[in-house]
Amino acid sequence: MSSQQHFSIDQFYQFLLQGKLMAGKCLKCGKIHLPPRLMCDECYSTQFDWTQISNKGKLLTYTVIHIGSTQFQNLVPYVVGIIEIDNGLKIPGIIHGVAQEQLKIGMSLFVDFDGCTMSQVWPQWARYCLKP
């Protein structure tokens, strides 16, 4: 895609629907931004291109949610974590497929695009979760 492509969260979620984890790469300095943004925080350029990134990383931190907002009440308790992808980017997500007592900082997780259906009606965007 060209640097004329509009970078937006909406486009980011469109890529998730296609099973792709995409980030914005600054065409001036090369810094990769996840989520994408309109201006590079390194060199202030507004020229970007989309780049596909790895969906595998290591768990940096997590928390167990016992009291969720109305939209997420049917999920409590649930775990939200942040993984660091191999190239240093970080992405948050709900962790599925592992018991809370088995979670370990540094464990390998991946962004799963297919197996994370949730029953809440909000928000209406592509779903992903983190799995071992």
Side-chain angles (χ1 to χ4, degrees):
M1 291 191 185
S2 75
S3 60
Q4 302 303 315
Q5 174 69 35
H6 178 67
F7 280 77
S8 68
I9 293 298
D10 183 56
Q11 184 62 48
F12 172 74
Y13 284 110
Q14 291 299 318
F15 284 125
L16 289 178
L17 282 171
Q18 299 170 26
K20 297 177 185 175
L21 187 56
M22 302 292 282
K25 182 176 182 178
C26 177
L27 294 175
K28 184 175 178 186
C29 73
K31 183 171 181 183
I32 298 175
H33 296 83
L34 181 69
R37 58 186 66 194
L38 297 175
M39 180 184 293
C40 179
D41 64 2
E42 187 73 28
C43 71
Y44 308 110
S45 172
T46 58
Q47 299 297 306
F48 288 88
D49 210 351
W50 287 106
T51 186
Q52 189 165 0
I53 56 174
S54 171
N55 70 333
K56 297 176 182 165
K58 301 280 185 197
L59 183 62
L60 289 179
T61 189
Y62 67 91
T63 189
V64 180
I65 308 295
H66 293 279
I67 301 174
S69 63
T70 305
Q71 297 87 356
F72 295 94
Q73 279 300 308
N74 62 323
L75 299 177
V76 294
Y78 61 96
V79 180
V80 174
I82 298 174
I83 63 170
E84 183 173 14
I85 298 168
D86 296 335
N87 55 13
L89 298 173
K90 298 170 183 75
I91 189 168
I94 294 176
I95 299 173
H96 284 246
V98 60
Q100 293 174 16
E101 58 274 1
Q102 294 177 333
L103 288 169
K104 302 274 189 256
I105 300 299
M107 72 184 296
S108 295
L109 295 174
F110 72 96
V111 179
D112 180 22
F113 305 103
D114 298 321
C116 301
T117 57
M118 293 178 232
S119 60
Q120 80 270 15
V121 296
W122 177 90
Q124 293 294 325
W125 59 57
R127 305 274 198 256
Y128 69 88
C129 64
L130 307 176
K131 289 188 172 180

